[in-house]
Amino acid sequence: QEDKTADTQQKKIDIEYTNKGFQFKTVDNKHLLHIESRLQFRFATPGDQNPLNYDDIYATDNTVFKINRARLKIGGHAFQPYLKYYFEYELAQGNLLDFRMMFNKWKAFNIKVGQWKTYYNRERVISSGKQQMVERSIITRPFTLDRQQGIEFSGRIFEGSLADITYHMSILTGSGRGASENDDNHLMYVGRLQWNFLGREVSMSGSDLDYCLKPEALIALAAATNTSPYTRFSQDGGGQLDGFEPGVTGQYEVNQFMIETAFKYKGFSWQSELHSKEIIDHVNLKTTQLNGSYFQAGYFFSNLIPVVPKSLEVAGRFASYNPNADITKNLEQEYALAFNWFFKGGHRNKLSAEFTYFALQSDTIEGDSGLRFRIQWDISL
Amino acid sequence: QEDKTADTQQKKIDIEYTNKGFQFKTVDNKHLLHIESRLQFRFATPGDQNPLNYDDIYATDNTVFKINRARLKIGGHAFQPYLKYYFEYELAQGNLLDFRMMFNKWKAFNIKVGQWKTYYNRERVISSGKQQMVERSIITRPFTLDRQQGIEFSGRIFEGSLADITYHMSILTGSGRGASENDDNHLMYVGRLQWNFLGREVSMSGSDLDYCLKPEALIALAAATNTSPYTRFSQDGGGQLDGFEPGVTGQYEVNQFMIETAFKYKGFSWQSELHSKEIIDHVNLKTTQLNGSYFQAGYFFSNLIPVVPKSLEVAGRFASYNPNADITKNLEQEYALAFNWFFKGGHRNKLSAEFTYFALQSDTIEGDSGLRFRIQWDISL
Amino acid sequence: QEDKTADTQQKKIDIEYTNKGFQFKTVDNKHLLHIESRLQFRFATPGDQNPLNYDDIYATDNTVFKINRARLKIGGHAFQPYLKYYFEYELAQGNLLDFRMMFNKWKAFNIKVGQWKTYYNRERVISSGKQQMVERSIITRPFTLDRQQGIEFSGRIFEGSLADITYHMSILTGSGRGASENDDNHLMYVGRLQWNFLGREVSMSGSDLDYCLKPEALIALAAATNTSPYTRFSQDGGGQLDGFEPGVTGQYEVNQFMIETAFKYKGFSWQSELHSKEIIDHVNLKTTQLNGSYFQAGYFFSNLIPVVPKSLEVAGRFASYNPNADITKNLEQEYALAFNWFFKGGHRNKLSAEFTYFALQSDTIEGDSGLRFRIQWDISL
């Protein structure tokens, strides 16, 4: 049952505990494996979900205490340091989230194949374990491309210069997580251009934990087009936004674009996104325009006021979502304030408390609002 | 995609094979991971299931040879030796059983959050790999609280004294394994007081493999209350006992209590439980009372008769269950005799043969009985 | 919650990277664990599936690029080097494929229990990662016994002599992957006799990567009988061949046999199988006879023509399948040509390109044909 090449390439291993968990590496660094798990405990009252519409504010919410995420992460490289792989598994729900190989030999041109979070916008790409707030904003649900299968080309060019650019181009099935085949021959195409105009990339994590001594900044543009039976994507795969019927093959053509900014400097961090999305329903011959945005900032006030503990960050976010641009009185807003306490290990062991105020208005109702409190412990093992 | 704190805390690792499988530990013991799997092979004739009622004895049973359990266990601690975690996965059925974090800094006050086997009664809490008989008794199905999500406070006080007490208090969703949210705002509350009146705790495993030179004993009381759509719990989550219809939110209020004893000394082990459970059906306005008990003992006769092999334990169990206390002629009884052969590794590599005699009577039928033979190999890898 | 035998047997570990991935071994070699994952990326046009019948050639095929396999493999031994275990998990679909224990103390008599690929025919037993072509032939679907649960006895006798024989006898549930209990008391029985007439076994992998200096050859006979609701098996468990209705308990009695040859010598490899299968439908009182065969050969032409790269193998296959022997004009044929490029690591990092020509004819239609191109990268991590 085994071939004979078996024992030809045995190599000694170095083991270390790193910020990616336990790591096993051959002495020649040709093979490497790291394994880590992460748990996220969350308490939320009066409920955890973002309100989707007017009725949701008064929905029978239950105070919840739950394990919101339980992840197993295995990554490393094989045969060469630049031939990387990564798996991520959601244990509680039994979902395989990421499985991908990366060819990262050259900084200016990388290839990725498999399934992963589409590199489109910052808020979604940042790991849920490295977020600044307890959860992503209300505009993630309508605008995220979430995880897809396919191929991506990316790279960074003119590094350190005024023209420092990071680009990502993806060709994906556009059928959502777990869908290895497309419904038709219309694939999803995604492009993103990120201008690191200070010559330094902003790291893909919330909060300026590193206390950057030199400012880091970016402006990014991204666009995507896809034709599929879906109007939105989530961890469960493809689905429908409020008001859209279950789709058939090729029913929904979605075109969307985004403008993003991010900045980090001496304990201060900023990020924002402006989204626009057009859904063309080829069955009902109807076009809907959605708009949304958020603005978020955080600061370690210990840098300003010595009496504030060094482990404490305060962060705030404002988000706004218009589900149908034709109806002006149709707006959902989120105002959130968060307090993060970073234990030893930074984002790997963190306690967050968050207050959120929701304001909703629609064309039929004058407007309503609600409050939510959440507390969360996120730990990587 | 990665933050920059990455390579700051690399630490060398010690590796050992322990009785929890392969173990990886940083030299400073701040981080530890152990990984183990376990397989349980079972042959049963004329069938494996316990008879639930009169008809079941004559049900078309099939002789079975099967992998009854296939488990993956990952545990350890992170950042501090007292910040522990544990995952257990049932591979064959794809069920995540345990995922929990424990804060065990002080012996008198521990905190546990996540999902695990509710600390209520001894028979259920003992791992299926450390049981004395092939499987738990017929009273586990009606009385177990099984796995739930929530929080537990526990500790041991006055250790070594006459007032040596181990306590456990749990607040749980009460909706069964895999249910992170409660159906309503009625949670499950569980309390347990265990009096170690000889000043030594009885270890949580069947059989006195350690040949305790000093006697260990306990008397424990436990009680639980829960309101949910369910009348029983198992690995599949919430379900119904015989004769109860599928429930709606808040239909079944369940109050139950238990008295437990356990004792180990020089190769002899004893344990018993007395259970009582009241189910109040708030829809049909009906109350049902259930009673059950078991008594179990085992001994390594090599301690008495030198010719008997040291690896052999003989154990016996009597269990009795009354599904409705209002009907006196309504009784199920189990008489079991087991022979355990412990290979090197104790409970980690064990062969068990078991003979069971079932006797059933109901108000309509005079009574019936049946026999079962099972043989099982349980191995931890 | 833990027994006290805990810390008695801690042992130091050696770690190496081997051709089975990362390997952990106690210094005394009593315990060993290896962990490996494997990804298979596939592009296929105009589609990936083999045509099952005339209509399939014209079916609306979609060009696919997909992760065809994502496997996690954990194996090793426990307590003794001859007490082996092996798990294999299909990550993308969440299927537990293999879970088994092997008692391999004596070469002439081994025992295996659990679930695995029934040792019946070479094409199916060879791992999908060690195949010579991109995928198994068109006759795998109708003739494979696939994975089953049960017990197997096997061994090799008269090793090195003219009477060198490898035998396998299996008693299985015959209900397919994931089915731990049989539908009735008719089990599946499988026997296989393999004559290694040159005194050397042919390794269970495609391609003569080892450049055998002495010829290796085998002739094998195998037979199987099973009564179940199914006419075929696959990774999804039991199912039906074209033209058979969903079955009831004991409906289909299947008797089948096979003749296999294999040969490897100095970079050349050959294998063939002849299959015959009789399906007796005990409900509709109908018997169907199926026949099939394939012939496959490969060669590293660098051994003949120095200008050809050493990493390149060329291989070809012809397969023929008759779904009903009573209808002569009812034939499916496959002609395939493959080019394998072996990176460092042999089968563990391999690129394959394959051209296939299908020819189909039935009693009602004169005949039709189709072409397919596939390219595949298979990498073990």
Side-chain angles (χ1 to χ4, degrees), chain C residues 268-304:
Chain C
F268 175 78
S269 54
W270 160 270
Q271 63 185 79
S272 78
E273 295 173 23
L274 291 160
H275 285 264
S276 185
K277 177 170 168 178
E278 175 192 58
I279 303 173
I280 305 170
D281 180 339
H282 286 301
V283 170
N284 299 307
L285 306 172
K286 193 182 66 167
T287 298
T288 312
Q289 179 76 29
L290 295 68
N291 297 315
S293 60
Y294 79 83
F295 306 89
Q296 182 178 313
Y299 190 53
F300 287 88
F301 279 95
S302 56
N303 298 317
L304 213 69

Side-chain angles (χ1 to χ4, degrees), chain B residues 24 36 66 88 92 95 104 123 172 184 198-199 202 231 248 252 257 285 309 319 341 374:
Chain B
F24 307 91
E36 187 184 34
K66 61 177 177 181
E88 188 168 337
N95 285 341
N104 290 359
E123 184 176 48
L172 306 156
D184 52 19
L198 300 180
V202 190
T231 55
V248 296
Y252 296 113
F257 75 88
L285 306 171
W341 186 274
R374 298 196 282 199

